[in-house]
Amino acid sequence: MPIESDDELRDILELDTVAVVGCSSTPGKDAHEIPKYLREHGYDVIPVNPFADEIFGRTVYDSLTDVDEEIDIVDVFRPSEEVSDIVDNAIERDDAGVVWTQLGIRDDEAAKRAEDAGKRVVQDHCMKVEHQRLVE
């Protein structure tokens, strides 16, 4: 079952490094503003987007499999129909212990695969909203 409890969410929000799949270079878009907020609150945000070269002054990776840095959380800003492949990429990584899909994004089958592989899963929740509610 995906994580819903405040204690578990708070525990996840204490992690440091977030790979944002679908991170946008366009100010004003949620996929830009939420990672920006996370950066401003101490998270190491790793942007993943095959259509951008640089976001927040950082090199952007084309895919999760290209990220050579350690990852704690995979934060997904892609449509629900793309979650399955992203989860498969997260499962291949030993470091990415959490898969988090933003508001309106869910794939229950992929979430089950991630959990079966030992990952913690948060679906259909905004990291910024949860951070503001539980941490700030």
Side-chain angles (χ1 to χ4, degrees):
M1 290 290 297
I3 292 171
E4 294 284 339
S5 83
D6 286 353
D7 286 341
E8 288 177 291
L9 288 171
R10 208 176 276 110
D11 183 51
I12 289 170
L13 290 167
E14 289 178 8
L15 299 171
D16 298 315
T17 307
V18 183
V20 179
V21 179
C23 191
S24 175
S25 59
T26 307
K29 287 185 138 185
D30 287 345
H32 179 85
E33 297 303 323
I34 293 165
K36 178 181 172 189
Y37 168 90
L38 294 173
R39 284 176 44 87
E40 291 168 351
H41 287 81
Y43 291 91
D44 180 15
V45 173
I46 301 169
V48 178
N49 180 336
F51 304 107
D53 295 323
E54 186 178 296
I55 301 174
F56 309 126
R58 289 192 71 158
T59 299
V60 180
Y61 292 94
D62 286 344
S63 74
L64 194 56
T65 57
D66 294 328
V67 177
D68 55 9
E69 302 170 55
E70 292 287 313
I71 298 170
D72 296 318
I73 302 169
V74 175
D75 187 16
V76 181
F77 277 92
R78 298 301 303 147
S80 296
E81 56 269 13
E82 294 182 26
V83 170
S84 182
D85 288 341
I86 296 165
V87 164
D88 289 343
N89 290 335
I91 289 170
E92 290 176 18
R93 298 185 66 99
D94 293 331
D95 56 347
V98 178
V99 175
W100 185 306
T101 64
Q102 286 295 131
L103 279 175
I105 304 169
R106 68 179 310 120
D107 180 330
D108 294 334
E109 197 173 290
K112 172 97 171 76
R113 282 198 322 274
E115 290 172 335
D116 289 347
K119 309 292 184 188
R120 294 186 285 176
V121 176
V122 179
Q123 289 196 109
D124 194 19
H125 284 274
C126 176
M127 278 190 78
K128 176 181 176 181
V129 169
E130 297 303 330
H131 184 270
Q132 289 174 329
R133 186 173 73 84
L134 298 170
V135 178
E136 269 195 342

